[in-house]
Amino acid sequence: MQRAALLEAARTLLSQGGTEALTFPALAEHTGLARSSVYEYFRSRAAVVEELCAVDFPVWAAEVEAAMERADGPEAKVEAYVRRQLALVGDRRHRAVVAISAGELDAGAREKIRAAHGGLIAMVVEALAALGHEQPRLSAVLLQGVVDAAVRRIELGAAEDPERITDAAVAMALRGVQG
């Protein structure tokens, strides 16, 4: 119960103030626990981050996977892959993951994030192979780069409407720079 409250407080802190806001005193304040009690659950900020990734990323990835499963055909699956990720940008779980990935983390936490991202990228490899890509894994990594750039653009509150950014990312994914 306390662990879940601490993770919820961590999501709030990360989505509102980024990694700098994720401190043990702030976690204690948000949960009403003593600061020493926070250390009973987590040994470091990196441990909080690792658990958030372990809990939140699979839920987020499952939403992307479900959207792809509902899509008919490889092109529609690629579009669903891009659109669902970008639709999740405003979600607190996603905002926490973005804040986490921008922060200074230890090697263990970074490896867990990389592994989780690898699982996400693996979802779209089959659709890209069906579209005729000679190196579908490389194409999937590059496609995720387009998604990541669109995420950053939306997160920054760019001049463009998030829907236009999403449409542009889908067009880039499906037609490249040809528009």
Side-chain angles (χ1 to χ4, degrees):
M1 181 91 155
Q2 299 289 17
R3 188 179 222 61
L6 286 165
L7 291 176
E8 187 58 28
R11 283 182 200 98
T12 299
L13 291 166
L14 286 165
S15 66
Q16 291 175 350
T19 53
E20 307 82 39
L22 181 61
T23 65
F24 278 30
L27 285 170
E29 182 180 328
H30 273 74
T31 58
L33 294 171
R35 186 172 154 184
S36 60
S37 295
V38 176
Y39 283 98
E40 292 176 26
Y41 292 94
F42 299 103
R43 69 189 185 290
S44 65
R45 284 176 7 130
V48 176
V49 167
E50 287 178 35
E51 187 145 343
L52 274 175
C53 286
V55 170
D56 290 349
F57 201 91
V59 173
W60 183 40
E63 292 180 31
V64 174
E65 187 172 33
M68 290 179 69
E69 286 173 1
R70 289 188 299 272
D72 187 29
E75 188 170 304
K77 288 185 184 306
V78 170
E79 181 171 352
Y81 176 85
V82 173
R83 285 193 184 280
R84 190 65 201 137
Q85 285 188 70
L86 296 178
L88 289 168
V89 169
D91 184 287
R92 288 178 65 242
R93 290 167 299 162
H94 179 265
R95 293 190 66 162
V97 170
V98 169
I100 288 165
S101 61
E104 299 293 321
L105 301 174
D106 67 21
R110 286 198 183 284
E111 185 50 41
K112 287 191 183 207
I113 291 170
R114 263 193 293 279
H117 242 262
L120 189 62
I121 289 168
M123 287 181 201
V124 75
V125 170
E126 186 178 326
L128 292 169
L131 288 172
H133 287 272
E134 290 180 23
Q135 297 181 348
R137 173 85 179 142
L138 174 60
S139 297
V141 170
L142 296 174
L143 172 60
Q144 187 60 44
V146 169
V147 172
D148 292 344
V151 165
R152 283 189 301 277
R153 191 83 181 150
I154 292 169
E155 283 284 328
L156 287 172
E160 303 89 4
D161 178 65
E163 192 172 316
R164 290 190 67 130
I165 295 169
T166 298
D167 290 344
V170 168
M172 180 72 73
L174 297 177
R175 291 178 283 290
V177 296
Q178 296 173 353

